[in-house]
Amino acid sequence: MMMALPAGAQAGDWQVVATSDDRRALLTYAAGEAVSYSFACTPTEVIVTQTGVTKLLDLRTGAPIGDDAKAIMPEGAALMALFSGKGEPQFLPAEAAKNPVTGWDLTIRLPLADKQIKAAAKSQMLSLFTTGYTMAVPMDAAARAKWSEFLQKCNIAK
């Protein structure tokens, strides 16, 4: 697993978006052309997606997973964890879909009361860990304010 900081990361990349479906709120972070984070809260959970994940590794076999259209995602590579800088990342099985630009889109579902979700509003960094390329996003005061706004819209106590 490789960890990097996105070039030019700043609080302006975080956006709270109004939704018109059953989701209470949507928080997004754009890290590049194909890579983004999204956090959508429903009445019972937060749906966490990272798009454009590349360089995945099957943890069961040690084999690399291709990023091309012919690649197949095994269970041992479809794992993701939300990490806000405290404790250890807890990998969960992720839903995986091919990204139309590059790599894979991975999605996990966390309960509204998840400790990492709440901790992000006070964190110095945030990351969605995968078995491949993983980036750390610095969290300054403006980014933490966006997280607080998202938590309020989701009715998640900090």
Side-chain angles (χ1 to χ4, degrees), residues 99-139:
N99 181 285
V101 177
T102 187
W104 297 88
D105 296 344
L106 298 178
T107 300
I108 57 175
R109 296 169 184 271
L110 300 172
L112 289 176
D114 185 84
K115 290 178 185 177
Q116 295 290 338
I117 295 280
K118 291 179 182 180
K122 298 176 185 172
S123 179
Q124 298 298 311
M125 65 76 67
L126 181 121
S127 182
L128 290 176
F129 273 65
T130 68
T131 65
Y133 178 80
T134 297
M135 64 181 184
V137 177
M139 298 289 285

Side-chain angles (χ1 to χ4, degrees), residues 36-87:
S36 67
Y37 288 176
S38 71
F39 301 83
C41 64
T42 72
T44 60
E45 65 190 357
V46 176
I47 303 166
V48 181
T49 300
Q50 181 177 357
T51 62
V53 182
T54 60
K55 301 178 183 169
L56 291 164
L57 181 69
D58 185 336
L59 297 182
R60 293 180 182 171
T61 66
I65 306 307
D67 296 327
D68 63 357
K70 295 179 184 177
I72 297 172
M73 176 65 73
E75 287 181 21
L79 300 168
M80 190 165 64
L82 173 62
F83 184 63
S84 61
K86 294 186 180 180

Side-chain angles (χ1 to χ4, degrees), residues 16 24-27 39 41 46 82 111-123 143-158:
V16 178
R24 293 181 185 170
L26 176 65
L27 176 69
F39 301 83
C41 64
V46 176
L82 173 62
L112 289 176
D114 185 84
K115 290 178 185 177
Q116 295 290 338
I117 295 280
K118 291 179 182 180
K122 298 176 185 172
S123 179
R144 289 189 296 275
K146 291 289 185 183
W147 265 94
S148 292
E149 179 184 348
F150 173 71
L151 294 178
Q152 288 172 353
K153 289 181 185 270
C154 295
N155 294 324
I156 300 173
K158 287 193 271 180

